[in-house]
Amino acid sequence: IATTLMKSLPDDVDLYHVGETRFALIYREETGALHDDIASALLARMGEPFVTEGGITVQLQAHAGLVRFHCTQPETTDVLRMATTALYQAEAEQRPWAWYSPEFDMPHKRAFALLRAIPSSLAHGEFRLVYQPKLNLHTARISGVEALARWRHPKFGDVSPAEFVELMERTTLIHEFTEWVLHKALEQQSIWRAQGIDLTIAVNVSSRNLEHPMFLQMLRNACALYRIHPQTLRLECTENAVMTGTLTAATLEAVRAMDIAISLDDFGVGYSNLSCLHSMPVEILKLDQTLIKHIATDERAFTLIQSLISMGHSLGYRMLAEGVETAEVLDLLKHHGCDAAQGYYISRPLEAEAIPAFMQASRGPNFQG
């Protein structure tokens, strides 16, 4: 592809390989050619079928992003990202090429700024963990918490986990971040234990974490550092993470061998391959809140949840419902054998220092659980 492109360029235009499937080139404004025509001609050339050395005919669907800039330090610093944004716009709108648009760039500029800020925000305490209690429906006691990350950025304010976790999962930052979450959560668990509060703690991990060669060692080191018994730790993974391949499966089997329980998050709304359920190294199926929300008012939703709880139990899983927001929903789940629940009706996510008082109140006779 590089050879084909270079043959199509004037002698004074260099070609740069800037990504796995991306090339960049710089035209001077004084070339006299219309830049739209240059882009159209290049894309037309790249769209022609060509034959590889192995005799295979290949036809590409190429897109281009264009941006004008001056060769000064402030502009050259950001020009490649701006050209990439224009490329994204061309792909999104299914056009051959697009000029850079500041309006289209706003979310990309924010994403870029957030990604650049993550390492320093971790170092300066702008991230913190909050903890959402989980209610054991058989004992009516709080048995554990889920650690949830929060980020208050000095410029952007509170940034949603849905936004910053998705950004990090595209980069290697997800490994540093998950390690930070794990250490903070286990450190807090050890503090509670010293106060006489015994709770399991759940930490969310991504498929990229599970594929990292040092992930298991990181888990062992963190448990050893805070003297946490692995049986009190839970790892929460999405269906996508659990079903991504043999490397992930081997990691999950090793996690289970360490006595760490694995929860399958968002169960029932992803890509569940039911034939895989009997062999997954998972102990807990976490019923997604979108399935739980309407079971008190929608008979079909209620029947579905009954069926999922029954199926899960028959396969040896414990069933946990998330997103419980009313007493009616909680009562239905208890009556039909769900093992545990979490949600705003039980408790919103709490700051670490609020957990002891919450635990004391939850042991009282008037606790809503």
Side-chain angles (χ1 to χ4, degrees), residues 146-294:
E146 179 182 0
L148 301 165
R150 297 291 184 263
W151 185 13
R152 180 159 293 169
H153 188 279
K155 177 182 177 182
F156 297 110
D158 289 328
V159 184
S160 164
E163 181 178 16
F164 66 73
V165 171
E166 182 182 352
L167 287 173
M168 282 190 275
E169 285 186 327
R170 301 176 192 171
T171 74
T172 57
L173 284 171
I174 192 62
H175 304 305
E176 178 185 355
F177 178 72
T178 300
E179 186 170 14
W180 176 85
V181 171
L182 183 66
H183 277 259
K184 282 291 183 183
L186 295 189
E187 180 184 27
Q188 186 58 57
Q189 189 184 22
S190 68
I191 292 170
W192 287 329
R193 186 181 57 193
Q195 298 171 342
I197 300 171
D198 290 319
L199 293 168
T200 62
I201 196 158
V203 172
N204 291 275
V205 297
S206 78
S207 59
R208 295 200 63 190
N209 295 141
L210 297 173
E211 293 165 358
H212 195 280
M214 295 303 294
F215 178 73
L216 293 173
Q217 190 59 49
M218 181 190 75
L219 276 181
R220 294 187 187 100
N221 291 345
C223 289
L225 179 62
Y226 301 104
R227 298 180 180 179
I228 296 298
H229 196 288
Q231 282 185 335
T232 66
L233 176 60
R234 308 279 184 267
L235 295 188
E236 295 203 356
C237 317
T238 62
E239 293 174 39
N240 183 48
V242 171
M243 299 178 182
T244 49
T246 54
L247 180 60
T248 298
T251 301
L252 290 172
E253 292 287 358
V255 169
R256 286 295 303 116
M258 294 167 60
D259 265 350
I260 297 173
I262 300 167
S263 296
L264 188 65
D265 206 0
D266 302 334
F267 179 72
V269 295
Y271 328 98
S272 297
N273 182 343
L274 296 181
S275 66
C276 293
L277 277 179
H278 75 283
S279 59
M280 288 192 304
V282 169
E283 284 192 6
I284 303 162
L285 299 182
K286 195 170 182 183
L287 295 164
D288 188 76
Q289 58 185 335
T290 57
L291 299 175
I292 298 296
K293 188 173 184 179
H294 301 293

Side-chain angles (χ1 to χ4, degrees), residues 6-19:
M6 287 192 292
K7 288 178 180 177
S8 307
L9 299 177
D11 292 338
D12 61 343
V13 175
D14 292 325
L15 183 68
Y16 303 89
H17 188 203
V18 297

